Amino acid sequence: STSVRLSVHHSFGNCPQYITERVLVPPPVGDAARARTLPPFMREATTRLDGEGALPDELQRLVASLDTFFIASGYGGEGGAAGGHRAHHGLDASHRGGPPGFVQCSERGRVLSFRDEHGNNLFNTIGNLVLDPRVGLALPHWRSGSLLHVSGVASVDFSPRDGTRLVSIAVRRWLWRPHALPFAMRPREEPPTRLRVVRAQREGRGVRSLVLAADGSHSAPLPPFAAGQFVTLRAAVGGERIERTYSLSG
């Protein structure tokens, strides 16, 4: 048998703004059940497909319906890195998310593009792509447990005025693996707990604490927590819906 062993050197938390919460569900059993979990335009693509260059029309439509993908990049250089680190090479795998359609297909399926929204500003992916444009994407269709793999060459446009970066990927190869995952997923349907701000207090320069409580009789009691855990808050600020993670303190 063949196995792959990964050594994780760094792990970074992702802002939940563009992450859709999901729960695991059993995978569909039987050909008919599996086919029903695919979009109607993909129900003929029930076997593994692969190719070079442009994505077929049905896979372009699939990409336009997705809200999540994972991007792999890397860099291998010579000599020591800045700061005295011996290794000047490595690989990175990162999450990207947004509303369906945030990944766009153009040039008849030869190019995929997406805006790199504001995140943790560590530039793990963008920094790699500037130095080595080779890239791999894994685009999951969670409901069916299927995967679309794309490899290509990326370019980064830093000129948009809104401060984002536009990443375009010229497709080299692609692989469609229906029902490849041993599980399926669906969006979490539990309603969020409504909170109200009881008190805001300044802790120091640029640091403020918010004391929160459940808002109204329709909200479930707040669960116990330990200092150092975090909570994901959703709010409307200036007419824009935001979602952020904050640390909890006892």
Side-chain angles (χ1 to χ4, degrees), residues 201-209 246:
Q201 58 192 43
R202 183 177 179 181
E203 305 291 354
R205 184 178 180 181
V207 180
R208 179 173 294 184
S209 291
Y246 294 93

Side-chain angles (χ1 to χ4, degrees), residues 30-162:
D31 293 342
R34 290 192 185 100
R36 285 194 296 270
T37 62
L38 290 168
F41 55 86
M42 291 294 298
R43 289 179 182 170
E44 300 300 322
T46 57
T47 59
R48 173 175 165 146
L49 303 171
D50 64 273
E52 297 182 3
L55 293 174
D57 290 344
E58 62 268 32
L59 290 179
Q60 293 182 51
R61 293 179 65 185
L62 178 74
V63 169
S65 73
L66 302 180
D67 62 6
T68 300
F69 71 88
F70 301 89
I71 182 168
S73 60
Y75 171 65
E78 297 181 358
H85 298 290
R86 290 180 298 172
H88 200 174
H89 61 274
L91 300 172
D92 178 77
S94 291
H95 168 279
R96 291 293 187 275
F102 84 107
V103 182
Q104 297 184 350
C105 297
S106 59
E107 298 187 21
R108 297 183 178 181
R110 293 182 176 86
V111 175
L112 303 182
S113 59
F114 65 94
R115 289 190 177 275
D116 193 62
E117 302 288 351
H118 299 288
N120 56 21
N121 288 326
L122 293 176
F123 295 100
N124 295 306
T125 299
I126 298 297
N128 282 344
L129 297 182
V130 169
L131 297 172
D132 186 337
R134 293 175 296 177
V135 67
L137 305 181
L139 300 100
H141 182 259
W142 295 119
R143 186 167 179 260
S144 65
S146 302
L147 286 172
L148 172 63
H149 303 269
V150 174
S151 62
V153 176
S155 60
V156 184
D157 180 0
F158 291 91
S159 65
R161 295 182 180 180
D162 60 0

